[in-house]
Amino acid sequence: MDATQAPPSSTESAAAADLAEIRRALGRAVAAVCPSWLADQREDIVQAAMLRVLAILERGEEQRVRSSSYLWRVAHSATLDEIRRARRRDAESTVEGEQIDRTTATDRAGPERRARSREIGRAIQQCLGTLVDPRRHVAVLHLLGYGLTETARVLGWPRKRVDNLLYRGLADLRRCLEGKQVVP
């Protein structure tokens, strides 16, 4: 250490230790929610999540960061953002010099069909919000394309529990959508 530099104070050391623990917690959360096809991007996702946490800390909202559920949400959000970026990159990639057409039927549809699709999307979000937490977690992961085994690993639950929650959650979702007169 340079003689002109003061040794780090105990407060700075504690802050650095706290940040290291937050980073480890984010790393565990990202590893749990990140799909296997995105495994090579996990460290980047952790970095993006850490930047979000640092922004919250700079605003003086330390209590939010102390919550493990908040860190889980940050990790989940950062992972979803990376999934969206990867899908956009994939859609923009080229094969043999030609643009890949990965537009969905909704993108090619007219304004009425796009409006109906938005209505269905809102109804699904509203109905997901009415599900009890465990069923909602499993149903959301299912809708994102996670399989039963991967969902069980992400949530740390037995596969049989995930299977049961998914079955009941999707049944609840269907009933709610039927109540809103939204039929898939």
Side-chain angles (χ1 to χ4, degrees):
M1 177 160 51
D2 187 4
T4 60
Q5 291 178 333
S9 70
S10 62
T11 308
E12 290 171 346
S13 297
D18 284 346
L19 288 177
E21 179 54 36
I22 289 170
R23 190 174 196 311
R24 281 191 293 277
L26 286 171
R28 289 188 300 268
V30 167
V33 298
C34 188
S36 56
W37 61 270
L38 206 55
D40 60 337
Q41 299 293 321
R42 283 186 184 154
E43 189 59 32
D44 294 337
I45 296 169
V46 172
Q47 287 290 23
M50 192 65 189
L51 288 173
R52 292 175 187 193
V53 168
L54 290 173
I56 294 296
L57 289 173
E58 284 179 4
R59 289 196 305 248
E61 300 178 38
E62 293 86 14
Q63 288 307 99
R64 283 178 65 188
V65 175
R66 299 280 179 228
S67 165
S68 62
S69 64
Y70 175 75
L71 293 178
W72 179 270
R73 286 192 308 269
V74 169
H76 188 263
S77 175
T79 303
L80 285 177
D81 287 348
E82 185 56 36
I83 289 170
R84 289 181 188 116
R85 274 192 294 278
R87 287 184 177 160
R88 266 194 313 272
R89 283 191 304 266
D90 188 37
E92 293 169 358
S93 67
T94 58
V95 173
E96 298 178 30
E98 291 185 25
Q99 183 73 21
I100 299 174
D101 182 18
R102 297 199 187 221
T103 56
T104 63
T106 305
D107 294 336
R108 291 187 296 265
E112 291 173 10
R113 179 130 185 214
R114 285 195 299 268
R116 178 71 178 141
S117 295
R118 281 193 298 275
E119 287 175 18
I120 291 171
R122 279 192 294 273
I124 290 171
Q125 286 179 333
Q126 290 169 351
C127 287
L128 284 171
T130 66
L131 299 179
V132 294
D133 283 344
R135 289 181 187 178
R136 183 176 62 247
H137 295 312
V138 172
V140 166
L141 289 173
H142 173 75
L143 293 173
L144 288 171
Y146 286 74
L148 287 174
T149 304
E150 198 170 18
T151 300
R153 182 184 56 79
V154 165
L155 296 173
W157 295 341
R159 188 177 186 281
K160 185 65 179 167
R161 179 180 184 204
V162 169
D163 188 30
N164 187 7
L165 290 169
L166 179 61
Y167 176 79
R168 291 175 183 216
L170 291 178
D172 291 347
L173 184 61
R174 263 186 237 100
R175 272 192 298 278
C176 178
L177 290 172
E178 287 169 1
K180 293 181 177 289
Q181 298 177 351
V182 175
V183 180

